[in-house]
Short mmCIF file of all heavy atoms in Angstrom, two decimals:
data_model
loop_
_atom_site.label_atom_id
_atom_site.label_comp_id
_atom_site.label_asym_id
_atom_site.label_seq_id
_atom_site.Cartn_x
_atom_site.Cartn_y
_atom_site.Cartn_z
N GLY A 1 8.27 11.24 -2.48
CA GLY A 1 9.39 11.17 -1.52
C GLY A 1 10.29 10.00 -1.94
O GLY A 1 10.50 9.76 -3.11
N ASN A 2 10.76 9.26 -0.95
CA ASN A 2 11.63 8.12 -1.24
C ASN A 2 10.80 6.84 -1.33
O ASN A 2 10.17 6.42 -0.37
CB ASN A 2 12.69 7.94 -0.18
CG ASN A 2 13.75 6.94 -0.61
OD1 ASN A 2 13.52 5.73 -0.52
ND2 ASN A 2 14.86 7.42 -1.10
N THR A 3 10.79 6.25 -2.51
CA THR A 3 9.95 5.07 -2.79
C THR A 3 10.33 3.90 -1.94
O THR A 3 9.48 3.13 -1.48
CB THR A 3 10.05 4.69 -4.28
OG1 THR A 3 9.83 5.86 -5.08
CG2 THR A 3 9.02 3.65 -4.64
N TRP A 4 11.63 3.70 -1.71
CA TRP A 4 12.08 2.54 -0.91
C TRP A 4 11.55 2.62 0.51
O TRP A 4 11.07 1.61 1.05
CB TRP A 4 13.61 2.50 -0.90
CG TRP A 4 14.21 2.20 -2.21
CD1 TRP A 4 14.52 3.13 -3.16
CD2 TRP A 4 14.60 0.96 -2.76
NE1 TRP A 4 15.08 2.51 -4.28
CE2 TRP A 4 15.15 1.17 -4.04
CE3 TRP A 4 14.54 -0.35 -2.26
CZ2 TRP A 4 15.58 0.14 -4.85
CZ3 TRP A 4 15.00 -1.39 -3.07
CH2 TRP A 4 15.52 -1.11 -4.34
N VAL A 5 11.64 3.78 1.15
CA VAL A 5 11.15 3.95 2.50
C VAL A 5 9.65 3.73 2.52
O VAL A 5 9.10 3.05 3.41
CB VAL A 5 11.47 5.35 3.04
CG1 VAL A 5 10.90 5.53 4.42
CG2 VAL A 5 13.01 5.55 3.07
N LEU A 6 8.94 4.33 1.56
CA LEU A 6 7.47 4.18 1.50
C LEU A 6 7.07 2.73 1.36
O LEU A 6 6.24 2.22 2.11
CB LEU A 6 6.94 5.01 0.33
CG LEU A 6 5.49 4.81 -0.08
CD1 LEU A 6 4.56 5.21 1.06
CD2 LEU A 6 5.17 5.58 -1.35
N ASN A 7 7.66 2.06 0.40
CA ASN A 7 7.26 0.67 0.13
C ASN A 7 7.55 -0.27 1.33
O ASN A 7 6.72 -1.10 1.70
CB ASN A 7 7.97 0.14 -1.14
CG ASN A 7 7.31 -1.07 -1.71
OD1 ASN A 7 6.10 -1.08 -1.97
ND2 ASN A 7 8.08 -2.14 -1.92
N LYS A 8 8.74 -0.11 1.92
CA LYS A 8 9.07 -0.96 3.06
C LYS A 8 8.14 -0.69 4.23
O LYS A 8 7.71 -1.62 4.92
CB LYS A 8 10.52 -0.71 3.49
CG LYS A 8 10.98 -1.68 4.61
CD LYS A 8 12.47 -1.49 4.90
CE LYS A 8 12.93 -2.54 5.93
NZ LYS A 8 12.21 -2.46 7.21
N THR A 9 7.77 0.56 4.43
CA THR A 9 6.88 0.90 5.55
C THR A 9 5.50 0.27 5.32
O THR A 9 4.91 -0.25 6.28
CB THR A 9 6.72 2.41 5.71
OG1 THR A 9 8.03 3.00 5.88
CG2 THR A 9 5.88 2.75 6.91
N LEU A 10 5.03 0.29 4.09
CA LEU A 10 3.73 -0.32 3.81
C LEU A 10 3.77 -1.82 4.10
O LEU A 10 2.83 -2.40 4.64
CB LEU A 10 3.35 -0.10 2.35
CG LEU A 10 3.05 1.36 1.93
CD1 LEU A 10 2.66 1.39 0.44
CD2 LEU A 10 1.98 1.99 2.80
N HIS A 11 4.86 -2.47 3.74
CA HIS A 11 4.99 -3.90 4.03
C HIS A 11 5.14 -4.12 5.53
O HIS A 11 4.50 -5.04 6.09
CB HIS A 11 6.22 -4.49 3.30
CG HIS A 11 5.97 -4.78 1.86
ND1 HIS A 11 5.39 -5.94 1.40
CD2 HIS A 11 6.19 -4.03 0.73
CE1 HIS A 11 5.28 -5.93 0.09
NE2 HIS A 11 5.75 -4.77 -0.34
N ASP A 12 5.94 -3.33 6.20
CA ASP A 12 6.16 -3.49 7.66
C ASP A 12 4.84 -3.35 8.44
O ASP A 12 4.63 -4.05 9.44
CB ASP A 12 7.15 -2.46 8.17
CG ASP A 12 8.59 -2.76 7.71
OD1 ASP A 12 8.84 -3.87 7.20
OD2 ASP A 12 9.44 -1.86 7.90
N LEU A 13 3.97 -2.47 7.98
CA LEU A 13 2.71 -2.23 8.68
C LEU A 13 1.56 -3.09 8.21
O LEU A 13 0.42 -2.95 8.66
CB LEU A 13 2.31 -0.75 8.55
CG LEU A 13 3.30 0.26 9.18
CD1 LEU A 13 2.78 1.68 8.93
CD2 LEU A 13 3.43 0.02 10.69
N GLY A 14 1.85 -3.98 7.25
CA GLY A 14 0.81 -4.86 6.74
C GLY A 14 -0.27 -4.16 5.97
O GLY A 14 -1.46 -4.52 6.04
N LEU A 15 0.13 -3.14 5.20
CA LEU A 15 -0.86 -2.26 4.51
C LEU A 15 -1.05 -2.58 3.04
O LEU A 15 -1.99 -2.07 2.41
CB LEU A 15 -0.45 -0.82 4.67
CG LEU A 15 -0.56 -0.23 6.08
CD1 LEU A 15 0.09 1.13 6.13
CD2 LEU A 15 -2.02 -0.15 6.50
N VAL A 16 -0.18 -3.37 2.45
CA VAL A 16 -0.29 -3.65 0.99
C VAL A 16 -1.64 -4.31 0.67
O VAL A 16 -2.35 -3.85 -0.21
CB VAL A 16 0.90 -4.51 0.51
CG1 VAL A 16 0.67 -4.95 -0.93
CG2 VAL A 16 2.19 -3.71 0.62
N GLY A 17 -1.96 -5.34 1.39
CA GLY A 17 -3.21 -6.04 1.15
C GLY A 17 -4.43 -5.16 1.37
O GLY A 17 -5.33 -5.10 0.52
N PRO A 18 -4.53 -4.49 2.51
CA PRO A 18 -5.68 -3.60 2.75
C PRO A 18 -5.83 -2.49 1.71
O PRO A 18 -6.95 -2.16 1.34
CB PRO A 18 -5.39 -3.01 4.14
CG PRO A 18 -4.58 -4.08 4.81
CD PRO A 18 -3.73 -4.64 3.73
N ILE A 19 -4.71 -1.90 1.24
CA ILE A 19 -4.81 -0.87 0.25
C ILE A 19 -5.33 -1.44 -1.08
O ILE A 19 -6.21 -0.87 -1.74
CB ILE A 19 -3.45 -0.14 0.04
CG1 ILE A 19 -3.04 0.64 1.30
CG2 ILE A 19 -3.51 0.79 -1.17
CD1 ILE A 19 -1.65 1.20 1.24
N ARG A 20 -4.75 -2.58 -1.49
CA ARG A 20 -5.25 -3.24 -2.71
C ARG A 20 -6.74 -3.54 -2.62
O ARG A 20 -7.49 -3.31 -3.59
CB ARG A 20 -4.46 -4.50 -2.98
CG ARG A 20 -3.10 -4.33 -3.59
CD ARG A 20 -2.41 -5.66 -3.83
NE ARG A 20 -3.23 -6.66 -4.51
CZ ARG A 20 -3.42 -6.66 -5.83
NH1 ARG A 20 -2.84 -5.72 -6.59
NH2 ARG A 20 -4.18 -7.57 -6.38
N LYS A 21 -7.16 -4.07 -1.52
CA LYS A 21 -8.58 -4.41 -1.35
C LYS A 21 -9.46 -3.16 -1.42
O LYS A 21 -10.50 -3.14 -2.07
CB LYS A 21 -8.82 -5.11 -0.02
CG LYS A 21 -10.24 -5.57 0.19
CD LYS A 21 -10.37 -6.37 1.50
CE LYS A 21 -11.86 -6.84 1.66
NZ LYS A 21 -12.03 -7.61 2.93
N ALA A 22 -9.02 -2.10 -0.75
CA ALA A 22 -9.78 -0.84 -0.76
C ALA A 22 -9.93 -0.28 -2.15
O ALA A 22 -11.04 0.09 -2.59
CB ALA A 22 -9.14 0.17 0.18
N VAL A 23 -8.82 -0.25 -2.89
CA VAL A 23 -8.81 0.38 -4.22
C VAL A 23 -9.43 -0.49 -5.27
O VAL A 23 -10.26 -0.07 -6.08
CB VAL A 23 -7.38 0.75 -4.63
CG1 VAL A 23 -7.35 1.35 -6.04
CG2 VAL A 23 -6.80 1.76 -3.64
N LEU A 24 -9.08 -1.76 -5.32
CA LEU A 24 -9.54 -2.65 -6.37
C LEU A 24 -10.88 -3.27 -6.13
O LEU A 24 -11.66 -3.47 -7.08
CB LEU A 24 -8.48 -3.75 -6.60
CG LEU A 24 -7.08 -3.28 -7.02
CD1 LEU A 24 -6.15 -4.48 -7.16
CD2 LEU A 24 -7.14 -2.49 -8.31
N ASP A 25 -11.19 -3.56 -4.88
CA ASP A 25 -12.46 -4.24 -4.57
C ASP A 25 -13.58 -3.31 -4.10
O ASP A 25 -14.71 -3.48 -4.48
CB ASP A 25 -12.23 -5.35 -3.52
CG ASP A 25 -11.29 -6.43 -3.97
OD1 ASP A 25 -11.10 -6.57 -5.20
OD2 ASP A 25 -10.76 -7.17 -3.12
N GLN A 26 -13.16 -2.33 -3.27
CA GLN A 26 -14.15 -1.44 -2.70
C GLN A 26 -14.33 -0.15 -3.53
O GLN A 26 -15.26 0.62 -3.28
CB GLN A 26 -13.79 -1.08 -1.26
CG GLN A 26 -13.76 -2.29 -0.34
CD GLN A 26 -13.11 -1.99 1.01
OE1 GLN A 26 -12.60 -2.88 1.71
NE2 GLN A 26 -13.11 -0.71 1.39
N GLY A 27 -13.43 0.07 -4.49
CA GLY A 27 -13.54 1.27 -5.30
C GLY A 27 -13.11 2.57 -4.66
O GLY A 27 -13.48 3.65 -5.08
N THR A 28 -12.31 2.47 -3.58
CA THR A 28 -11.81 3.68 -2.91
C THR A 28 -10.91 4.45 -3.86
O THR A 28 -9.95 3.85 -4.38
CB THR A 28 -11.05 3.32 -1.64
OG1 THR A 28 -11.87 2.51 -0.78
CG2 THR A 28 -10.60 4.56 -0.89
N PRO A 29 -11.16 5.73 -4.11
CA PRO A 29 -10.30 6.47 -5.03
C PRO A 29 -8.88 6.59 -4.49
O PRO A 29 -8.67 6.71 -3.29
CB PRO A 29 -11.00 7.84 -5.12
CG PRO A 29 -11.87 7.94 -3.89
CD PRO A 29 -12.28 6.54 -3.60
N TYR A 30 -7.93 6.58 -5.40
CA TYR A 30 -6.51 6.60 -5.09
C TYR A 30 -5.87 7.69 -5.90
O TYR A 30 -6.06 7.76 -7.11
CB TYR A 30 -5.90 5.25 -5.40
CG TYR A 30 -4.39 5.11 -5.14
CD1 TYR A 30 -3.93 4.44 -4.04
CD2 TYR A 30 -3.46 5.61 -6.06
CE1 TYR A 30 -2.55 4.28 -3.81
CE2 TYR A 30 -2.09 5.47 -5.84
CZ TYR A 30 -1.65 4.79 -4.70
OH TYR A 30 -0.30 4.63 -4.50
#
């Protein structure tokens, strides 16, 4: 979809850190 909307929403909701932790540290498939 639209990358700008997606990226801003992730930042607004405080999701960047949790997603990185899930994928990189916990091994959650992406």
Side-chain angles (χ1 to χ4, degrees):
N2 191 281
T3 310
W4 294 86
V5 177
L6 170 62
N7 198 53
K8 185 175 186 300
T9 304
L10 294 182
H11 281 275
D12 289 347
L13 297 178
L15 291 170
V16 171
I19 293 173
R20 280 180 50 80
K21 183 176 181 180
V23 176
L24 299 178
D25 297 341
Q26 298 168 203
T28 304
Y30 178 103

